[in-house]
């Protein structure tokens, strides 16, 4: 019985639960280690993000015969130039729209209060069943507003921490560009034989998944944000650039992100002109259909091969545990874990096949 898969899986689950239980009871011992890891992880994530964004450029330059130091300098100069161009072109427009939003903030708040009061005043004229549904909807909206406020505060805190830790990002980024071929060998050279080959293949698969996900998701987000910006400009929606930038970052979160991005657009459209809500919906529908039918299948393909329900579940759990940062890293972390498990299972089958092979 001990050789059965179900028995081994059950024992593994029980051991994992016991380890988790005792770890939580003595977590104060590991708290300093957690703080150190948290300090390192943020720059590592941003450095890795920059590396996977720019690695194709570096690889292309080195294929043309440029030495490593030259490709690193070129990549950094390209990044600085792109950042300067974006600030020069978009900066004044964003600043103007932010100032307008701040100036119109009190007026927008009054409009929202008037809308809420109108809904509450009309509630008594509705049938009893609709009144109960409306009361439930108002409570749900209030609960969502409270949760959204907490999430937004967590997002601001994470953003401030990220800005503070930005000083470490260039160091991680530089050494990733300089020594990225050396990281994997230092790990798999610790092993020998077939185990070494298995570790080497697993690390290669992890690198492929991360590379495909990060580069693909960034490209998809940029294309969608461009479509949304063009659409908002055509329908004459205010704060179009700000909303498109929000969509750019929110689209980095699969499935849930686009719906988070469209909520403020719908609100601003309603306050500007209720008819614009329909047009914002049309723009969003066009962007989402273009993404799901054209962009994502061609850019991402079946790189991750994760069911949408699994993605949503992973995002919700990660958001509850680690806030906005958890949401950002949830899907790639799950994809990496899936690759490791698949390689372990494949290796297990090879060992079992070899053990039962007739000599």
């Amino acid at each position: 019985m001990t050789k059965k898969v179900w028995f081994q899986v059950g024992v593994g689950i029980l051991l994992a639960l016991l380890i988790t239980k005792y770890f939580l009871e003595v977590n104060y011992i590991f708290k300093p280690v957690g703080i150190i890891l948290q300090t390192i992880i943020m720059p590592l994530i941003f450095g890795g993000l920059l590396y996977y964004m720019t690695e194709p450029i570096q690889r292309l330059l080195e294929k043309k015969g440029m030495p490593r130091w030259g490709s690193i300098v070129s990549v950094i100069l390209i990044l600085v130039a792109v950042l300067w161009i974006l600030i020069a072109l978009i900066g004044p427009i964003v600043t103007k729209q932010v100032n307008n939003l701040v100036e119109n903030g009190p007026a927008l708040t009054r409009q929202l209060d008037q809308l809420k009061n109108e809904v509450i005043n009309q509630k008594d004229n509705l049938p009893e069943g609709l009144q109960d549904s409306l009361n439930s909807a108002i409570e749900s909206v209030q609960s969502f507003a409270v949760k959204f406020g907490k999430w937004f505060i967590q997002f601001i805190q994470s953003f401030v921490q990220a800005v503070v830790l930005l000083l470490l990002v260039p160091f991680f980024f530089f050494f990733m560009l300089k020594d990225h071929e050396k990281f994997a060998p230092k790990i798999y050279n610790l092993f020998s034989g077939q185990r070494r080959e298995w570790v080497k293949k697993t690390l290669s698969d992890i690198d492929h998944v991360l590379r495909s996900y990060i580069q693909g998701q960034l490209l998809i987000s940029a294309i969608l944000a461009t479509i949304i910006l063009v659409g908002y400009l055509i329908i004459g929606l205010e704060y179009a650039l700000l909303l498109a930038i929000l969509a750019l970052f929110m689209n980095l979160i699969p499935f849930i992100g686009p719906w988070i991005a469209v909520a403020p657009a719908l609100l601003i459209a309603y306050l500007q002109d209720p008819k614009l809500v329909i047009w914002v919906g049309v723009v969003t529908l066009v962007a989402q259909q273009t993404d799901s039918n054209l962009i994502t299948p061609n850019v991402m393909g079946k790189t991750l091969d994760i069911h949408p329900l699994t993605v949503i579940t992973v995002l919700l759990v990660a958001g509850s545990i680690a806030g906005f940062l958890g949401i950002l890293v949830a899907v790639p972390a799950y994809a990496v874990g899936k690759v490791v498990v698949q390689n372990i299972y494949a290796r297990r089958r090879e060992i079992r096949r070899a053990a039962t092979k007739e000599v």
Side-chain angles (χ1 to χ4, degrees):
M1 185 180 68
T2 57
K3 295 183 178 180
K4 298 290 185 181
V5 175
W6 63 266
F7 179 81
Q8 294 175 355
V9 171
V11 171
I13 293 173
L14 288 175
L15 288 175
L17 291 174
L18 286 173
I19 291 171
T20 304
K21 175 181 180 297
Y22 289 117
F23 177 80
L24 292 175
E25 290 179 356
V26 296
N27 61 353
Y28 60 89
I29 298 177
F30 302 98
K31 192 172 182 180
V33 178
I35 294 173
I36 294 172
L37 288 176
Q38 186 176 5
T39 305
I40 295 174
I41 285 174
M42 285 291 290
L44 183 61
I45 290 174
F46 283 102
L49 187 65
L50 286 174
Y51 164 70
Y52 280 115
M53 286 171 58
T54 57
E55 188 271 340
I57 301 174
Q58 183 187 35
R59 188 169 65 248
L60 178 64
L61 292 174
E62 292 183 357
K63 280 184 178 180
K64 300 292 184 180
M66 186 175 290
R68 175 56 54 88
W69 66 266
S71 66
I72 294 174
V73 172
S74 299
V75 165
I76 294 174
L77 290 177
I78 291 171
L79 276 179
V80 172
V82 169
L83 185 61
W84 182 84
I85 292 171
L86 288 176
I87 292 174
L89 294 178
I90 300 177
I93 303 174
V94 172
T95 303
K96 182 180 178 181
Q97 292 191 2
V98 169
N99 291 334
N100 290 338
L101 184 61
V102 172
E103 291 174 1
N104 296 328
L108 294 175
T109 304
R110 285 195 299 271
Q111 287 180 281
L112 287 174
D113 288 337
Q114 290 175 2
L115 175 62
K116 181 190 70 175
N117 293 332
E118 288 177 6
V119 172
I120 293 174
N121 292 334
Q122 294 296 324
K123 183 180 68 173
D124 297 332
N125 299 327
L126 299 174
E128 186 176 349
L130 287 177
Q131 289 184 23
D132 295 338
S133 299
L134 186 59
N135 288 330
S136 176
I138 291 173
E139 291 176 0
S140 299
V141 169
Q142 291 174 344
S143 175
F144 173 77
V146 172
K147 291 180 180 178
F148 182 80
K150 291 181 179 178
W151 174 85
F152 187 74
I153 292 172
Q154 290 178 346
F155 169 74
I156 295 297
Q157 290 175 345
S158 299
F159 181 77
V160 171
Q161 291 175 356
V163 171
V164 172
L165 295 173
L166 271 179
L167 295 175
L168 295 176
V169 172
F171 293 99
F172 284 92
F173 176 51
F174 173 79
F175 284 107
M176 285 179 181
L177 289 176
K178 179 177 178 291
D179 299 323
H180 56 87
E181 297 101 338
K182 300 178 181 178
F183 297 147
K186 285 186 178 179
I187 297 175
Y188 62 70
N189 283 334
L190 296 173
F191 305 91
S192 60
Q194 293 183 346
R195 186 172 297 175
R196 178 182 182 275
E197 294 303 316
W198 179 85
V199 174
K200 183 178 180 179
K201 179 182 180 301
T202 302
L203 292 176
S204 176
D205 291 343
I206 290 173
D207 177 68
H208 173 70
V209 166
L210 288 176
R211 184 188 308 274
S212 301
Y213 176 79
I214 292 173
Q215 294 176 357
Q217 201 64 34
L218 286 171
L219 181 59
I220 290 169
S221 297
I223 295 173
L224 282 178
T226 303
I227 295 173
I228 289 171
L229 175 61
V230 172
Y232 287 169
L233 290 174
I234 291 174
I235 66 176
L237 185 65
E238 294 179 351
Y239 315 113
L241 184 58
L242 283 180
L243 293 171
I245 292 174
L246 175 64
L248 173 66
F249 289 103
M250 289 298 103
N251 281 318
L252 295 174
I253 305 171
F255 297 103
I256 296 177
W259 302 110
I260 297 175
V262 77
L266 291 172
L267 180 60
I268 290 175
Y270 182 82
L271 297 177
Q272 182 181 341
D273 182 356
K275 295 179 182 178
L276 282 178
V277 172
I278 299 175
W279 289 111
V280 168
V282 170
V283 171
T284 303
L285 182 63
V286 169
Q288 292 304 315
Q289 289 300 312
T290 304
D291 173 38
S292 58
N293 294 313
L294 294 176
I295 303 173
T296 297
N298 290 306
V299 174
M300 298 291 284
K302 293 186 177 180
T303 301
L304 299 183
D305 194 21
I306 303 175
H307 194 276
L309 182 60
T310 303
V311 173
I312 293 172
T313 304
V314 168
L315 290 174
L316 292 175
V317 172
S320 301
I321 295 174
F324 185 74
L325 179 62
I327 292 175
L328 282 180
V329 301
V331 176
Y334 176 83
V336 168
K338 182 180 177 182
V339 165
V340 173
V341 171
Q342 287 176 336
N343 278 273
I344 291 174
Y345 183 69
R347 178 61 181 159
R348 178 186 173 86
R349 282 191 302 177
E350 290 178 5
I351 294 173
R352 181 180 294 177
R353 196 179 299 118
T356 57
K357 185 178 180 181
E358 294 182 1
V359 179

